[in-house]
Amino acid sequence: MVRQPLMPMPLSNPGSVSMTERRTQHPLTQEERDERHQQVRLIRDSVAGLVAGRGGVRRARDLRYGEAGMDAAVWRELCGLGLVGLRVPEERGGAGLGMAEYVAVAEELGRGLVPEPLIDAGLAAAMLDGETLSEQLAGERLILPAGFNLQPGGDRPRMDGQSLHGQVSRVPLGAAADAWLVASDPGPVLVARAESVLLESHPQQDGSHLATLRFQGAPARAMNTVDARRALEEAALAGAAYLLGVMNAAFDEAVSYLKIRRQFGREIGAFQALQHRAVNLKIQLELSRAMINAAADALDSDWPVEEQRRRVSTARVKVSTAALLVAREGVQFHGGIGYTDEANIGLFLRKVMVLFNRYGSVDFHKRRYAGVEAAVGAGATTERTV
């Protein structure tokens, strides 16, 4: 199957090294930086056009509380554009692009409240190989991760020969998957849908669901030993970028309402008190974007692992808390109507509530930041990324 290219022109010439490898070897020239900024802008515009063309927020509203929680046709379209394999190296069939491109895509998906699990599927793709990876990238199968998280703890099923026993809870959109990549005791294993896999679906605030998977001797295939840590860091940052898109859309929705709602003979946006609150929200947006870009730059470069993790945790804490503030303020700007289900502003708040602690809680990232800072301050040896 020939996949439609992500962009009308490749980031680098065929046979050349990836953007991340080039940045590791030597700093980019100004011309290369300008080329990459143009590439990111084109990708952003392409995804924004796709999201708007498929219905945007209206589509997200219509898909709420469905059994799958997503649209299979749109998912195949996202796969056809190469978005699932955006971070997969070219030699493995992916696009081989960097985190700057990834966070731009995630932000545009967040703006439209896109329910399809691109970030989760991308996390799984980073740990797949061979024909299974090809099927994931092409949209022929949807394989979602189960039990992978930066934060320690949670369920850990066990292998008995070629069979898996135990359970994994809180799997986002788990009921939509054809198979799951499960974090088991010996390592990642691939489990397909079968009678030996019992699934319970639990609805969430935004209309999506979390699944609980119970494995009763389910046939499982061990994957090659992989280090999921790097892929989890990238998923955590992409999740922050998705939240940035959500709060950007919530901010736009709130400002638009301030311009049309009239009180005391004038638009309420003309009142200085509300203008000051709106400016504060805009500042939170720009600070969040700056932290995401700084973290993406660190992950794209040969930075010490501790500094990469510090920046990812910084971005997660800032963006999660800022997104909650922006969405709540947006509801308050709308007044009583903001609390009704008919008002779109509530959709953004519900999405933020669901994603607030995804890929590590805010408290976890605060503690990790403090721990990393203490280790660096004590002169701990730093490891380099490969």
Side-chain angles (χ1 to χ4, degrees), residues 280-337:
N280 179 56
L281 300 184
K282 181 64 173 177
I283 291 172
Q284 299 305 312
L285 276 167
E286 296 308 320
L287 287 173
S288 297
R289 176 171 286 107
M291 291 182 180
I292 287 174
N293 289 339
D297 185 67
L299 289 176
D300 273 343
S301 305
D302 186 29
W303 286 46
V305 172
E306 288 86 351
E307 179 64 16
Q308 292 180 344
R309 294 172 181 173
R310 184 185 75 86
R311 291 204 174 196
V312 170
S313 286
T314 301
R316 282 296 318 193
V317 172
K318 179 59 184 177
V319 177
S320 294
T321 54
L324 191 58
L325 171 65
V326 171
R328 281 176 168 172
E329 286 284 270
V331 170
Q332 290 193 6
F333 284 173
H334 278 71
I337 196 174

Side-chain angles (χ1 to χ4, degrees), residues 11 70 89 95 122 131 150 175 186-187 190 213 245 282 297 316 331 349 368:
L11 184 63
M70 56 170 279
E131 183 180 355
L150 284 172
L190 186 65
L213 307 175
K282 181 64 173 177
D297 185 67
R316 282 296 318 193
V331 170
L349 177 57
R368 190 174 78 153

Side-chain angles (χ1 to χ4, degrees), residues 209-233:
H209 69 267
L210 293 174
T212 297
L213 307 175
R214 292 187 172 87
F215 307 104
Q216 300 180 335
R221 178 167 64 89
M223 304 300 295
N224 293 332
T225 302
V226 295
D227 181 9
R229 187 75 188 208
R230 169 73 186 202
L232 281 166
E233 297 288 349

Side-chain angles (χ1 to χ4, degrees), residues 231-286:
L232 281 166
E233 297 288 349
E234 294 181 359
L237 184 59
Y242 188 102
L243 275 176
L244 174 63
V246 174
M247 68 167 149
N248 225 322
F251 177 78
D252 291 343
E253 186 84 11
V255 170
S256 296
Y257 189 77
L258 292 180
K259 293 178 180 178
I260 62 173
R261 177 72 169 91
R262 295 180 64 85
Q263 190 72 34
F264 306 113
R266 59 194 301 194
E267 292 79 11
I268 61 175
F271 295 109
Q272 194 173 60
L274 293 180
Q275 291 176 356
H276 287 174
R277 288 169 65 181
V279 168
N280 179 56
L281 300 184
K282 181 64 173 177
I283 291 172
Q284 299 305 312
L285 276 167
E286 296 308 320

